Amino acid sequence: MDRIKQGFWAIICLLAGSGQAIAQNRAEIRVNTAERGPLIPSTLHGIFFEEISHAGEGGLYAEMVQNRGFEDHRLPPGTRLENGWLVPFPRKPHFMLNGQVSDWKMEWPLKSRWPAWHAENNAQLSLVTDHPLNTITPHAIQVKAVEKGGALVNEGFWGMNVEKNARYRLSFFANNVKGYTGKVTVSLQTASGQILADTIFHVSGAAAWKKYNAVLTAKAGDSTARLVITLQQPGTLLLDMVSLFPMHTFRDRPNGMRADLAMLIQQMKPAFMRWPGGCYVEGITVESAPDWKTTLGPLEQRTPTYSPWGYWSSNGFGYHEYLQFCEDINAAALYVFNVGISCEYRSGTFVPDDSVAPYIQSALDAIEYAIGPITSKWGKQRAANGHPAPFPLKYVEVGNEQHGPDYAKRYNRFYDAIHKKYPQIGIIASMGIGDVNRHTLDSMQHTDIVDEHAYKAAGWSQRNFDHFDKYKRGHWDMYVGEYATNAGVGAGNLQAALNDAVYVMSMEKNADLVKMSSYAPLLVNEHDVDWPVNLIHFNAGASFARLSYYAINMLNDHKATFNYPVTTTLFPEEKPAPKFGGGIGLATWDTEAEYKDITVIQRGDTVYNSRRDPQLADWHPVRGSWKKQAGLLAQTAEGAQQLAILKGHHFNAYTLSLKARKTGGVNAFIIPFAVKDTNACLRAHIGSWLNSNAMFESLTNGYDVAGISNPVRLKAPLESGRWYSIRLEVDNEEVRCYIDDSLLMTYREPPSLFSIAGKDEKTGDIILKIVNAGNTPVKADISLNGIAVSPVAEVITLTADKPEAENSFTAPEACIPHSSAIHHAAAQFSWEVPAQSVNVIRLKPGV
């Protein structure tokens, strides 16, 4: 899309989101420019790269051939296959289960002995080990052409993107020990067989492995092309390490990065890059965890690593390439190493404490490779690999998502060894998934930086804008190593961007504590989605960034030097519109239940009574197995999101009463309200989390559930066979849930207007950041405590016409930030904050 179209679409989005015909809310935003707050660190925004969803293999790493070494059929170390499931072998104690053995297993996805390859034109394929290229890649593919034209075909990573006139670097090893002599044609073809580029090799001479190279120039393009190796006469040939790279990679480096994805990452201006994990660094077993030393050197001599996300990484993007990429995008390196413990959420196997020393030495060696002098062992190896100068390694992290006293004691050993030799390196302590906890901290002797991970549902950041305010300041800084709004937001829509922006602003206003952050996951191949919400989407031929990407970049591009205190007040509406209008429903999750005596009273009148409808004709089963009998509605199937809704009814402020009885299953009752359709509603979940809690939830897209309130612990599990009286009092702005006439929980929509401010000392600008997550525009009266500013201010806005709006492959920049201006800025002025928008206002110094 050209810039004119982008600008036009952005204006349409803004007008659609500004709610011109909707009554405004009013607010006051007071910036205390007389008080200087904490400095905002330049390191606040970084990136986290993990080999998940083919982020690297078939993604950022520009290799176009999948399974180039013919080793992807192998089982990961420390496992075996049992009835199609990958299981640890032998089974060993789990690190977090007090010596117990986990029953974890993982479905093995591969059915072929040569994944991503197949034969055509009567060629016969087999894997052989009788003439290995080397010990690292012991398998070769044997291609037997029973007639002229037998071919070996690679599909790439769900296709290969070939562009017209572009050049591609081809290489492979071949061995004619089985007697093949003659021509071999290598071509790029469409699925229908159209030749996009080709070249011919002559295989002859002594029977030995020989490397062949060529550059292919495409005469036409196709985003789903394939690589075809054709034997031009009958015979048998061995092949290994078949590779195809675009000549144009990021910075045109051989064995380099895919240009479009690398540019999207570079445009984030990350202060650092965390790598390689994440769960990837832990491994599914302790034996399968990655080893940085095996990712160096010639590609055919690198040991692949099995990602916990279900596929092999060739390690073409290895430790050296990672450090080089950090340097290329002007980011510090943050290297995460394994501490002898595999993933807690998988097998959890580990080495005993008396076997940790080699892991400590490996971490020290990795640091030496990155920054050691060329006179050191590993510094010399770095220089031999083409980089005599030190790489920008500034941080290391001791494991990933480990926690608890046992991990803390192991962390102490790593900390002491690293700090003694490299006191300038920032050492990061894992805190598991969730908040920083005393359970882990109390056993740590030294903590420089702690790593908090935060995957939250829509609305959480709005309810918890003061999350970081509550932390007691101590002797450590915080790194939010993984964060995302990843529930209740589809695959990542405007609602996610608004919540992510609020979360980032909550970090920025607590810059005295939070020094670093990185969104996760960074990349996702649309053909292998392992995580519900990701930042940058791609396939073989295209890519796009989500709205959260642009929101984060906006806030990063316009960081102030230091904060000002800000008070934000959103005044109540004079005549608030009902916030919870809609239909009602009944639902369950992994539970069988019965419902009866359903009544709705609105403004004193009974507007629905199931006793007047004994056949329950107005109730429409949507999902599940619902039975209607004598005024009773029974749900008899287990499974998620079983739902029935009351047809043809819409309620605003009302009281819903009913009786409910659990007849089986593990949870209890779900009462939907504010039902928009069969796929979207709010609901009271009574007996969630295995019948232990209650909370309010949202349902979108039929199955996407997000908690919209903090959970309430039940006094006791709800009993099977007992009738409970449930009542929802739905007012214009509040919902109260009662069980047996006792108030269980209350819900109000979270705050919707948030702002922070600071000063950019380089320009003198006051930078004001405002998020309006509400559905209506807000007239904000802005006060700068008497500071004179220029009447003309720059405004950058990200918005869209609906909270479900998303960028896509067909419209990759449908809604992106756009600039406008305020022409009446002053020490006190008013500005309309668009509905559902992220905004940055730069107020220039006045006279």
Side-chain angles (χ1 to χ4, degrees), residues 131-202:
H131 294 86
L133 178 62
N134 58 49
T135 59
I136 301 301
T137 175
H139 295 87
I141 193 79
Q142 177 175 288
V143 185
K144 181 178 180 180
V146 297
E147 60 187 42
K148 177 182 178 180
L152 174 68
V153 181
N154 187 267
E155 66 189 37
F157 294 92
W158 300 279
M160 297 179 177
N161 184 45
V162 175
E163 298 180 353
K164 184 177 180 181
N165 298 325
R167 298 188 300 157
Y168 299 88
R169 183 184 288 112
L170 168 73
S171 66
F172 62 92
F173 286 85
N175 190 335
N176 63 349
V177 68
K178 301 296 178 78
Y180 185 87
T181 301
K183 294 180 181 180
V184 173
T185 299
V186 181
S187 59
L188 293 170
Q189 299 182 11
T190 66
S192 63
Q194 176 189 352
I195 303 297
L196 305 173
D198 62 351
T199 189
I200 297 175
F201 297 93
H202 294 268

Side-chain angles (χ1 to χ4, degrees), residues 514-532:
V514 184
K515 305 298 184 182
M516 305 165 66
S517 69
S518 47
Y519 187 98
L522 179 67
L523 295 162
V524 59
N525 188 311
E526 67 165 347
H527 296 284
D528 182 29
V529 181
D530 291 305
W531 205 245

Side-chain angles (χ1 to χ4, degrees), residues 405-588:
D406 290 338
Y407 158 73
K409 293 173 185 176
R410 190 167 291 202
Y411 160 88
N412 291 336
R413 294 176 61 185
F414 280 90
Y415 183 96
D416 290 344
I418 294 169
H419 185 71
K420 180 179 179 180
K421 190 170 184 180
Y422 299 103
Q424 75 276 29
I425 292 289
I427 302 173
I428 301 171
S430 168
M431 290 288 130
I433 293 181
D435 302 348
V436 176
N437 59 84
R438 303 306 313 183
H439 179 64
T440 304
L441 275 175
D442 286 347
S443 297
M444 290 181 167
Q445 296 168 353
H446 305 281
T447 46
D448 297 341
I449 308 168
V450 297
D451 181 4
E452 175 170 307
H453 291 182
Y455 294 105
K456 305 297 185 181
W460 186 92
S461 63
Q462 296 172 239
R463 297 194 308 273
N464 296 277
F465 191 55
D466 61 350
H467 171 69
F468 297 108
D469 303 19
K470 297 176 181 178
Y471 272 106
K472 181 180 179 181
R473 272 42 177 177
H475 56 276
W476 43 261
D477 293 329
M478 182 180 289
Y479 166 40
V480 183
E482 301 178 27
Y483 74 88
T485 304
N486 69 347
V489 293
N493 52 30
L494 176 63
Q495 185 72 15
L498 296 170
N499 277 267
D500 288 334
V502 171
Y503 189 66
V504 169
M505 286 165 54
S506 72
M507 291 190 284
E508 187 172 326
K509 77 184 179 79
N510 285 275
D512 62 316
L513 173 70
V514 184
K515 305 298 184 182
M516 305 165 66
S517 69
S518 47
Y519 187 98
L522 179 67
L523 295 162
V524 59
N525 188 311
E526 67 165 347
H527 296 284
D528 182 29
V529 181
D530 291 305
W531 205 245
V533 177
N534 306 267
L535 201 60
I536 298 171
H537 293 235
F538 66 91
N539 55 30
S543 58
F544 73 90
R546 286 183 36 238
L547 275 71
S548 285
Y549 169 93
Y550 293 104
I552 293 167
N553 286 2
M554 281 173 58
L555 300 175
N556 186 25
D557 289 344
H558 300 279
K559 285 196 304 290
T561 306
F562 60 84
N563 282 317
Y564 286 131
V566 177
T567 302
T568 305
T569 304
L570 181 62
F571 297 107
E573 300 176 58
E574 293 182 3
K575 296 180 180 179
K579 291 182 169 58
F580 307 111
I584 62 171
L586 301 169
T588 64

